[in-house]
Amino acid sequence: MPKEDLLFYSAYESFYAMAKESKAFQAFCRDAFDADFSQDGFSDKAQIDRILPYVPPKNACILDVGCGNGKMLGYLQQNTGARIFGFDYSTEAIETANRLFPTDSDFRVGIIGEAEYPEESFDVITSMDTIYFASDMTAFVAQVKRWLKPGGVFFVGYQEGDVIPKTQGMETSEIAKALLQNRMSFSWQDVTRETYDLLKRKREAALAHKGDFMDEGNEAWFDLLMMQTESVTADYEVFRRAIARYLVVANK
């Protein structure tokens, strides 16, 4: 399938071009997420820090699925010394990743379900709000399982209620079905309340930097942030009936 036909492709090319240049967006990320990883989702620094205990202390290799401009991987490398690998369908994002993190790294343009790596290459594979882009989630989890070393970990940020329809709970989710069909054991944390609080921080940070976005001519991105956080103008009980978010740790 041409990349231009993939979910949100054109929007993400524009997003990563903006993220590279916009001082307002970089400051927004630091205020909203405690670190600038060029986030367009829900991965604040506290969530990313939960990956660190699963990274072996020596000679570790980490792959990030849908790595964007590599800033999250760069943070993990800084804190663990791991060799980092990532793929993303955005050419703009991968060009930035290769420029920012040229050491002990491998960044490439690739599409979920089409990218390929040798078997048993990685200690940790991460997918933070990107597994939704798999046309066949079960088949993609099978790929991930092949790529993991024995005992390796697949760490997933997974949300229901927007791109993926909300089910009754984690046990009925598409990611749970895909992991079970591939005979991968897993555990999870329900971080729906954290997500609600994070969206509130995103909204507050965006409003604090509204003038900066306007001065840059990036009012469209400010408007998008307002739209993305509209759900937290309702109280939490309303939010959780529509949205659920989990951090999933699966083991090979």
Side-chain angles (χ1 to χ4, degrees):
M1 179 186 294
K3 286 195 298 181
E4 291 74 15
D5 294 338
L6 295 172
L7 186 67
F8 305 140
Y9 172 75
S10 295
Y12 272 117
E13 283 288 85
S14 298
F15 170 80
Y16 284 112
M18 178 277 296
K20 179 171 62 177
E21 302 294 339
S22 173
K23 301 300 182 185
F25 184 73
Q26 293 160 17
F28 157 78
C29 286
R30 290 191 292 271
D31 289 349
F33 304 105
D34 296 324
D36 171 22
F37 301 144
S38 296
Q39 293 95 327
D40 186 44
F42 311 96
S43 302
D44 67 353
K45 181 176 177 292
Q47 286 194 4
I48 303 309
D49 282 343
R50 294 178 195 178
I51 300 169
L52 295 173
Y54 300 103
V55 181
K58 292 183 179 179
N59 302 317
C61 292
I62 305 172
L63 170 68
D64 187 26
V65 173
C67 64
N69 61 16
K71 287 187 176 182
M72 185 190 84
L73 277 173
Y75 175 77
L76 295 175
Q77 183 182 59
Q78 179 184 14
N79 283 274
T80 65
R83 189 174 183 199
I84 52 176
F85 299 74
F87 71 90
D88 198 286
Y89 67 2
S90 169
T91 302
E92 179 75 44
I94 293 301
E95 287 176 353
T96 300
N98 278 313
R99 176 176 56 83
L100 292 178
F101 308 105
T103 303
D104 289 331
S105 63
D106 180 313
F107 293 102
R108 61 184 71 172
V109 176
I111 297 171
I112 292 177
E114 296 181 12
E116 193 55 86
Y117 294 90
E119 292 186 11
E120 299 186 358
S121 294
F122 304 108
D123 300 280
V124 177
I125 297 177
T126 57
S127 174
M128 302 305 291
D129 297 293
T130 57
I131 201 166
Y132 326 116
F133 293 82
S135 58
D136 184 330
M137 198 177 295
T138 298
F140 180 63
V141 170
Q143 274 189 303
V144 167
K145 187 177 180 181
R146 290 198 303 272
W147 297 342
L148 282 171
K149 297 177 183 178
V153 166
F154 184 32
F155 191 103
V156 183
Y158 183 84
Q159 183 154 310
E160 294 185 330
D162 38 30
V163 178
I164 295 288
K166 190 175 184 296
T167 67
Q168 292 180 340
M170 177 60 194
E171 297 89 343
T172 57
S173 67
E174 292 301 313
I175 183 63
K177 294 175 185 176
L179 291 167
L180 289 169
Q181 288 178 31
N182 282 284
R183 299 182 179 180
M184 293 187 73
S185 61
F186 60 95
S187 60
W188 70 89
Q189 291 178 287
D190 185 327
V191 292
T192 305
R193 180 72 210 207
E194 286 182 31
T195 299
Y196 179 80
D197 294 340
L198 174 58
L199 284 168
K200 280 188 169 293
R201 294 203 306 273
K202 283 182 66 172
R203 194 170 182 86
E204 291 166 2
L207 288 167
H209 291 285
K210 179 179 180 179
D212 300 324
F213 280 108
M214 300 304 169
D215 290 344
E216 292 179 345
N218 280 323
E219 56 267 27
W221 294 105
F222 170 80
D223 291 343
L224 180 62
L225 290 170
M226 290 291 98
M227 182 188 72
Q228 289 176 340
T229 58
E230 181 69 25
S231 59
V232 294
T233 58
D235 65 29
Y236 175 66
E237 290 305 312
V238 173
F239 177 85
R240 74 176 183 87
R241 288 197 290 269
I243 298 290
R245 180 170 173 78
Y246 309 100
L247 295 182
V248 186
V249 177
N251 302 94
K252 180 170 179 177

